[in-house]
Amino acid sequence: VTGLLPGTDLIAQLSGTELGDRVLLPGNLFRGEETLMLDDLTLADLEKALQKPLKVVKSSGRDFAEALLS
């Protein structure tokens, strides 16, 4: 269901929250190979709004764990 999450909702929930050094996002938030969300916000739009580097991670537990450790 993360593919149905609009970027504006993500920004609304994470803005003003301590996010650490970076934010990991599941790849299925974006359309196919693009970095475009359901509401046409891009990965760059999210980075600008949240003022944090974002990393898109494949939607597997292994990929997530590797991203946490890198």
Side-chain angles (χ1 to χ4, degrees), residues 1-7 29-31 36-41:
V1 291
T2 55
L4 298 175
L5 180 67
L29 280 175
F30 302 95
R31 295 184 202 159
L36 195 62
M37 296 191 72
L38 183 65
D39 56 359
D40 294 329
L41 287 180

Side-chain angles (χ1 to χ4, degrees), residues 1-3 5 9-10 13-15 17 21-22 24 26-28 30-31 38-39 41 47 51 54 61 64-65 69-70:
V1 291
T2 55
L5 180 67
D9 284 356
L10 191 64
Q13 292 299 310
L14 296 179
S15 291
T17 304
D21 296 333
R22 64 187 170 146
L24 302 176
N28 58 355
F30 302 95
R31 295 184 202 159
L38 183 65
D39 56 359
L41 287 180
E47 283 183 323
Q51 299 180 2
L54 305 177
F64 178 69
L69 298 172
S70 65

